[in-house]
Amino acid sequence: MSLPDLTEASLADLVSLEGRTAVITGGAAGIGAAIARRFDEAGAHVTIADLDLAAAEKTASELSRAAAVHLDASNSRQNIEVAEGVVEEHGRLDIWVNNAGIYPFVDLVDMTPEQWHTVISLNLDGVFFGSRAAMRPMVAAGRGVIINLASTAAYGAEGGGIAHYTASKHGVRGFTKALAFELGPSGVRAVALAPTLVETPGTLADRDAISAGMGVENAHDAFAEQIPARRIGYPDDVARVAYFLASDLAAFVSGDTILVDGGLRSR
Ligand code: NAD
């Protein structure tokens, strides 16, 4: 099987997600919620799968046709149940975004094996579990896209306190290549996104502690000065690229990790 030639398709058809289904792990807030909004706007049936069911329900209620389900993305069985639920309801699974991730700060010299494993089991094992759940119906249908949230931390160490996170995101980048390599012949694409610092509930919660540690008034403003675009990201900066990658515009893009960083790593 080979990917279809879309040369004759209209732009309107290429950008539409009408009739497609999408699952977004950790989609209740931050980057995941922004991705859910764009996919919904493009016509997809979005399932927001989040540890915080109440928040997922609230985010889904603000969209046109989204559903909310509970998911601990670090649990293999639960990922499979979410995928099976979508196939049961809609008869297809087209897009799966492994977005759920955590970034608790702890210096490496103080890091316990439990702290290490908590991050790896969601940020890396969870990406494998989600991909595994999604790829079965996708391979059977001969189409689908898996999008993984990596980070600019998938390219280098970006500061202290996130060694486990940095290792997990390097792993996501490598795993995405393997996914694309193995699933490509079945018509399934896999890509990853590498945002720089983005203003989300998660990073806002950390900002004051980091500011205090750095001895600056606002760590986000201080970080923005390193970015050629002179600002940090908004969730929708990432969501628009996720949308492009999910759409047929990107039908021949697979295996790579796409930087969404205002030029940070061009330095
Ligand atoms: P966030 O903390 O703002 O929101 C995360 C969402 O995931 C929440 O709704 C939370 O309830 C949910 N969640 C947490 N643990 C979960 C679990 N075990 N199972 C399912 N859902 C769970 O996060 P964010 O900042 O939007 O980050 C989203 C992704 O983007 C993460 O993978 C993160 O590593 C990546 N990323 C974020 C940034 C950034 O600066 N915000 C930069 C690069 C990469």
Side-chain angles (χ1 to χ4, degrees):
M1 179 189 296
S2 65
L3 292 166
D5 176 5
L6 298 170
T7 309
E8 300 303 327
S10 71
L11 263 185
D13 282 345
L14 292 172
V15 298
S16 174
L17 299 182
E18 206 101 3
R20 300 197 188 174
T21 63
V23 172
I24 300 159
T25 73
I31 292 170
I35 294 173
R37 277 188 206 103
R38 287 297 180 187
F39 285 7
D40 180 75
E41 186 184 352
H45 290 275
V46 173
T47 297
I48 295 174
D50 201 288
L51 198 55
D52 185 341
L53 179 59
E57 284 170 341
K58 183 169 182 303
T59 302
S61 73
E62 291 158 4
L63 304 181
S64 307
R65 64 189 81 68
V69 293
H70 174 267
L71 168 72
D72 177 353
S74 66
N75 180 304
S76 173
R77 181 73 237 153
Q78 289 183 22
N79 278 279
I80 291 170
E81 284 166 5
V82 171
E84 287 177 349
V86 171
V87 173
E88 205 173 291
E89 184 174 352
H90 297 285
R92 57 192 290 165
L93 178 55
D94 300 286
I95 305 160
W96 184 286
V97 184
N98 287 305
N99 165 78
I102 49 173
Y103 31 83
F105 281 74
V106 53
D107 286 338
L108 197 46
V109 286
D110 299 323
M111 192 179 287
T112 64
E114 291 72 27
Q115 288 169 322
W116 170 271
H117 282 299
T118 300
V119 170
I120 298 295
S121 70
L122 176 59
N123 294 14
L124 186 54
D125 295 353
V127 170
F128 166 58
F129 296 152
S131 302
R132 181 167 170 268
M135 71 176 75
R136 292 175 172 182
M138 287 179 178
V139 166
R143 56 153 200 270
V145 190
I146 296 171
I147 300 176
N148 298 324
L149 262 292
S151 161
T152 47
Y155 294 84
E158 295 207 307
I162 52 166
H164 43 12
Y165 181 80
T166 304
S168 73
K169 295 301 184 181
H170 275 69
V172 168
R173 193 171 152 223
F175 177 66
T176 303
K177 293 174 199 275
L179 260 183
F181 186 82
E182 290 202 34
L183 302 187
S186 306
V188 178
R189 295 188 290 117
V191 283
L193 288 164
T196 183
L197 179 62
V198 177
E199 189 175 292
T200 65
T203 58
L204 283 170
D206 291 340
R207 185 182 56 184
D208 293 343
I210 296 169
S211 302
M214 288 170 66
V216 298
E217 196 176 316
N218 183 324
H220 284 189
D221 290 348
F223 197 88
E225 284 170 28
Q226 299 172 44
I227 299 176
R230 290 294 183 270
R231 68 165 173 83
I232 66 167
Y234 299 117
D236 194 59
D237 288 322
V238 185
R240 293 191 303 275
V241 183
Y243 163 57
F244 162 72
L245 292 170
S247 79
D248 285 343
L249 287 171
F252 205 53
V253 180
S254 195
D256 211 353
T257 296
I258 312 296
L259 286 162
V260 188
D261 71 345
L264 178 68
R265 293 207 62 87
S266 66
R267 291 163 69 99

